[in-house]
Amino acid sequence: MATPPDQNLAIDRWPEVSRRVGYRSLSHVEKLESEGRFPKSVKLGARAKGWVRSEVTQWIQDRIEQSRGESS
């Protein structure tokens, strides 16, 4: 039986990232990336990129904590 892929290393493409974080604009996310306010994308090919799922999940968790005043 094959070993399932490590979900911490899974890479999601833009449509999935957009669905998860609620942003529709890729250019907005790219701006946040350049400002260091969103996880950096991973180049997958000449015209393809994605985001490490666990990093996006952590970013979402951080936003939840910040909005509830739970961050230190």
Side-chain angles (χ1 to χ4, degrees):
M1 181 175 206
T3 305
D6 184 346
Q7 290 300 309
N8 290 323
L9 297 178
I11 295 177
D12 292 328
R13 300 288 303 274
W14 173 245
E16 177 63 14
V17 173
S18 174
R19 185 192 67 74
R20 292 186 66 210
V21 302
Y23 291 140
R24 290 184 171 206
S25 170
L26 175 58
S27 62
H28 178 67
V29 168
E30 289 171 333
K31 182 175 186 291
L32 292 176
E33 265 187 83
S34 71
E35 296 170 350
R37 297 171 43 206
F38 195 82
K40 295 282 186 191
S41 58
V42 176
K43 188 167 179 146
L44 302 173
R47 297 185 60 195
K49 65 180 175 179
W51 288 262
V52 178
R53 184 177 297 159
S54 61
E55 292 177 0
V56 174
T57 299
Q58 184 61 54
W59 181 88
I60 293 167
Q61 185 63 44
D62 292 347
R63 301 295 77 70
I64 292 168
E65 290 173 4
Q66 287 177 359
S67 73
R68 295 180 179 167
E70 298 172 9
S71 62
S72 42

